[in-house]
Amino acid sequence: MKDYFIKISLCATFLFLITNCGVSRKNNTVTDSKNDSSTKDTVVYVAPIKSEKKTFFKDSERETNWVDSIYNKMSVQEKIGQLFMISAYSNKDSVHTNQINKLVQDYKVGGVIFFQGGPVRQAKLTNQYQSKAKVPLFIGIDAEWGLGMRLDSTYRYPWNMTLGAIQDLSLIENVGRNMANENKRIGIHFNFAPVLDINTNPKNPIIGNRSFGEDKVNVSDKAIALMKGVQSQGVFSTGKHFPGHGDTSTDSHHALPLVNFSKDRLELVELYPYKRIFDEGLVSVMVAHLNILSLEPTLNLPSSASYNVVTNLLQKELGFEGLIFTDGLAMKGASNFKGPGDLEIAVLLAGNDILLCSENIPVAFQKLEVAYNEGVITEERLAHSVKKILHYKFKAGLNKYKPIDMANINDELNPPQNDALHYKLYENAITVLKNEKEILPIKNLDQKIAYVKLGEDVNSDFVTTLKKYTEVTEVANTNIDSLNNELNKYDLVIIGFHKVNKTWEKQNFTDTELIWLQEIAKHNKVILDIFTKPYSLLPITNFDAIEGLVVSYQNSDISQIVSAELLFGAIPAKGKLPVSINTSFNVNDGLATEKINRLGFTKPENVGMNPLILSKIDAIAQKAIDGKMTPGMQVLVARKGSVIFQKSYGSQTYDNTRKVTNSDLYDVASISKMISTLPNVMQLYDNEKVNLDTKLKDMVPIFAKTNKENITFKDLLTHYAGLQAWVPFYKATLDNQGKPSAKYYRRVAESDFSTKVADGIFIRNDYHDTIMKIIADSPLSLKKEYRYSDFTFIILKEYLERKTHKKLEELSQQNFYSTLGMNNTLYNPLDKFDRSNIAPTEIDNYFRHQVIQGYVHDMAAAMEGGVAGHAGIFSNAMDVAKMMQLFLQKGNYGNKQYFSEQTFDAFNTCYYADKGVQRGLGFDKRVGKDSPTCGCVSESSFGHTGFTGNIAWVDPETEIVYVFLSNRTYPEVINDENKLAKGKIREDIQQIIQDAIIK
């Protein structure tokens, strides 16, 4: 080996003399090195002994024998061909394809690096090119954040700068594993990553987001983790851009950057990650086109063509024995140095093994052959690189090459688990830099919150998710003064800065946006959330007026969802800033925020659920729609505190004029009992205003001296009091033509007829007393037995309002909905929402004689003005899930205790199980035969159904919340024809949910 390096030195000296490498100052840019502050970092890497260095791909005698057998059969031309890895595209025409075929066949090139195109097209071309190759080709790709960097229809992972904020290295390894498996699927052997550049220059025009950050230890940790993930799957990583492109102000694609750092600085900073990753088993390195005078004194000599850099430093000093790639030789940083052929000779003699993206293969090939024949390139030098290449071809399995299987490529490149990992990445990356007075997480959902958008890119996922937590109003104006006037009405302003999610696009605030930001912050309490690179904050010189500052790094759909979760406390902040922002924020800054137990959002895999099984819900929903069981529905599944499935199906009516959306409201019928009346009763129980043995006569005086006076609270709520199931109160108020009688109703409101039943129908205000009298006088069953009755909750409403001196709608809003963020849950929704946002429940031809849309379907509740203890609530699946999660968390949500755990346990107990009564206090707990469940949930589970086609169910053992809302009663209710129930749609969906649990 010593003799080899001596010979190479002589060749390099000869090359220098014959190629007129005189000092020239053209096409050079001096690096803006600031004050060289990075050298203050005194962390020094101490290498392990050689025996402790790691390797992913061990040598073998069989490998050596194969390499020798192939090499010994090669002609000089075939050996030279192995040195080239040529540029290819799968989005170009047949002319390009034929050119590549010719280079493979005629020049025996050793590899292809693919750029833009598509995965299926690339796989086809790979098979084609491989079929032309005598020795199988290396296939490479420059896909730093996944195939999506180059190919359509493939997955794009977060940028390295985003990953640099993550503290959990196992997540970075998972990214590497995923990338590698995607590479392998389409026959790729090399991914030109990780980027090892330490981006200490914020104005670096080419690295930036491609770097893990400005801290050498952080960059090293992340790069090593990514490399381990990639190489653990049998794909080769290529660290770049040696010896360090992070502190340059020139793009080497366009010119040769001149770097004026000392050797000590380079040793301490730029070379640090290389030293570490070499010892961890990195397979290959890409050498940059830089002129680093402390390493190579010849001005204008690119590092890629410098023997001092490639051989003396990289191989001798650092001991690197893997494959060495040049950076692209068509880049101006290299091609301005020498023309085709002469450049390839120079970089080969400098010590590189593979010549990447040469500008002119035929010319370069010819000149290399001449150089070999003339002894400038020796056989030993050629064998050194070619045999190394063949060794790695064996390690890549090319000794047993198989064509790529073309079946299911797109599906296999985009598995659902990619999104699951993506969620985890942003959950760990998003960084909080300011949190004055603990403005984060937003705990008070009673306050008025506005959202203002800056930037030109999309923001829909962010805004939609914000609105899932509470009412957030989008405010916009073309005039800053007018905007601030509008914002004066709000307690908090969230500013989202949304820039296009492309690496090389401008990510900065405009001058106007900076002024607007300053003015809004001056006059309002502000949380600024930037969905772009942290460097976009550099122009902001004073952050004093901004109370909350969040860096979300990229403007992707998942980053927007996760960032909204963080603002409202569903997840804590974990990220650390990978770069410094002037003197305002230092690298590794990042505040931890509190996690409060509100529902979050993630993918099924992250909570142990199989998304492919959950996808079967789609077919069940479609079956219901096709079978006219319901025109549409909402389905939501949450597990372990996160919503993992939320979809809407069908339309509000069978004419398909309006598709159901997740924000539409449904009449939830008897679920009103569980999510309105019941929690208010639980609070009274919690405050010892009532107990299990309290008598009905002591709760509601009208029942004193009736057959119901001694009914206990426990018997009432377990439906074990013998009450009549229901009474069609409305029938007694109709005239002989079946229309609302003038004795009880008016078409317009009057002082004594102001209780609204529906459009143009107002009932006597005192009819409530009649209903209560009918209930009080109704008979009880002859023997004590279970009988489900609406009377229970009609009575409980009366009790609540008498005890608290407040209306039920006020109690539910004040005690629960306002602080839970249930802003889509209410009685009489037409007071707040447009009719088009509410699913109709029936075309009523027996009482109100109109389409019932926005008015409660239940007739008794309608006669109570839409507010009853047993019915009347309108909501959507998301809001219902919040209350169900509160129950699952035994009275706690958003770190607020609404009632004690003991109270919840008391209400979730079957007191008459020995009598066959599977009811808690207000909760349905039937899980066996004839229950509304699939029979596959635990006995500790609970929930309720609703007549209009609903179910909300919780299983504490699996931590699953299931909500199904529909309007199966539309267009009409036909006795004994509940198709939805007979079709077991809700039960079958619940069974799918249970089946999806990963055991």
Side-chain angles (χ1 to χ4, degrees), residues 77-91:
Q77 292 79 10
E78 289 171 336
K79 294 173 185 175
I80 291 172
Q82 286 299 304
L83 303 175
F84 290 97
M85 182 174 273
I86 60 175
S87 304
Y89 296 78
S90 56
N91 64 349

Side-chain angles (χ1 to χ4, degrees), residues 124-136:
K124 287 179 179 177
L125 289 174
T126 298
N127 283 345
Q128 182 181 145
Y129 298 152
Q130 291 284 22
S131 70
K132 310 290 185 184
K134 183 175 180 181
V135 176

